[in-house]
Amino acid sequence: MNRVHIKTYGCQMNERDSEAVAAMLRARGYRIVGSEDECDVLLLNTCSVRDAAEQKAIGKAGYSLARKKRNPDFILGILGCMAQNRGASLLDRLPDVDLIVGTQKFHRVPDYLDNLRAAKEAGAPIGEAIVDTAEELDSQNTIRDHMDGPEAQVCAFVSIQQGCDMHCAFCIVPTTRGDERSRPMEDIVRECAELAERGTREVTLLGQIVTSYGRRDYPHSGGISPFVQLLEKVHAIPGIERIRFTSPHPKGFRQDLADAFARLPKLGEHVHLPAQSGSDRILRAMKRPYTREGYLGIVRMLRSAQPAMAFSTDIIVGFPGETDADFEQTRSLCEEADFDMAYIFKYSVRTGTPAASMPDQVPDGVKEERNQILLEALRAGSLRRSQALVGSVQEVLVEGPDKTGLRFAGKTRGNRATVFEAAPRLVGTLVPVGITRSSVSTLYGELVLADAGLQTEPCPASL
Ligand code: 5AD
């Protein structure tokens, strides 16, 4: 009765929340199992950012509920953003769900499961589902304890903030994640230091809008924003070799952050910089407080701080009112920014957001056409940028075996996935890899050894 499987949909924040729930459940004596077929409790940690994500989780929940017919003790819980967004109304479609827990209540999951299991064991009838989507003061501080899993992770996510106050016209996040709240700087630094002691070498600082971190809690100091102050503190932790962060907002990229990339060597040369559109008219309608030229100015500023800087982005096609001319602006922005990677989304109506009721909704066929045009352009750009790395030597953090288990995988400073032969003892170390070939998203190469002729197996000391 105590085997739990957690299936996660959506973003890295959700991944991190699932890890935190898993850690809390383990501490209560639950077993986290990798296989859904072997679990007694299935928890779906859901995403609401687009309708397709919600439909996927609802479909999965409906399918999983069939298990209850075979096994009445089976427990199904829906956690996270869709739970927050839809609350008890999910029970209209999924009446047999046991547990619905919103984004500020993850830490309550162990208690709720204990209660459900105790009731089942006592043979007590379980009436209503447990639904908890209330707000909780300081909930940003509850996503704290990091995994207690058997092995330290080479790369770990650290939550620094929850919620968002930006209210972009298309976005459901302010509803699902609430107002922007930051964790105390010393808590974050302590968590990163503990992770480093346990073997983590790369931390990704997570939030909806990380560049706004601490703006209400900490003053600027000598022109340095609280977010950059946090980067400096994490940078000073021995054992942390690399720092990444996501997602920032373009408006948060001031000179102090660009300078940080030049002076803090643990910051990899990669920035995820959501553009959403290249048309000033659409950016205004989206309530994105920057222009096309402002966005490209940030790209130039960061490339002048770090010429090797790689950018990824998020783009929405088919926002209400988007004309062919607007789309052309987005296409050409992608060309000019020269992205390494992009997530392209077809605009999805989110009930309750301002854009949902805007006139001139774009037909699905047009969205799909624009999606395909951009995908192809970005694929070609990404391939060109990865091919430009063939022949270079890249510093790679070895994360573990690759998908086949035959070789090892890690990422370059610019966040490119890289596959190469290595020895298990190199996991968690930075190694130089000579790049020999590339695909759109992956680099392939060989360890560069100082004394290659004498070594049959790579040895850290020789690297
Ligand atoms: N429709 C399509 N894409 C969306 N995103 C957010 N809301 C929507 C929506 N309603 C995209 C944005 C954001 C990413 C996480 O999801 O590009 O940056």
Side-chain angles (χ1 to χ4, degrees), residues 191-271:
E191 182 176 334
C192 292
E194 282 168 12
L195 284 165
E197 264 171 36
R198 297 185 49 208
T200 292
R201 295 291 165 255
E202 176 181 301
V203 287
T204 300
L205 306 181
L206 283 184
Q208 302 291 347
I209 175 156
V210 286
T211 36
S212 296
Y213 170 81
R215 69 193 163 111
R216 296 200 190 89
D217 314 292
Y218 303 98
H220 275 57
S221 152
I224 307 281
S225 67
F227 178 59
V228 175
Q229 293 169 35
L230 175 66
L231 291 177
E232 289 172 348
K233 290 206 158 77
V234 176
H235 195 271
I237 298 172
I240 295 294
E241 306 281 2
R242 276 192 184 164
I243 306 167
R244 303 191 190 278
F245 54 84
T246 201
S247 276
H249 191 291
K251 86 180 178 99
F253 277 87
R254 305 270 158 72
Q255 196 63 48
D256 63 328
L257 184 50
D259 292 345
F261 277 94
R263 72 189 165 84
L264 303 177
K266 295 179 183 178
L267 277 177
E269 285 84 35
H270 169 251
V271 168

Side-chain angles (χ1 to χ4, degrees), residues 11 47-51 168-173 208 247 272 274-276 286 288 313-317 319 343-350 353 355 367:
C11 65
C47 169
S48 275
V49 78
R50 283 169 294 279
D51 189 51
C168 301
F170 50 79
C171 190
I172 193 81
V173 165
Q208 302 291 347
S247 276
H272 182 68
Q276 313 299 359
M286 287 176 163
R288 300 284 292 180
T313 196
D314 292 343
I315 301 279
I316 296 176
V317 293
F319 184 81
Y343 299 94
I344 304 162
F345 303 110
K346 291 180 277 186
Y347 171 68
S348 167
V349 175
R350 308 316 291 130
T353 60
K367 286 182 198 169

Side-chain angles (χ1 to χ4, degrees), residues 38 73 121 142 193 195 203 222 249 280 337 387 389 402 437 462:
E38 283 165 22
D73 288 340
E121 269 160 32
T142 62
L195 284 165
V203 287
H249 191 291
D280 285 345
Q387 279 173 347
L389 298 175
D402 74 344
R437 74 190 167 88
S462 70

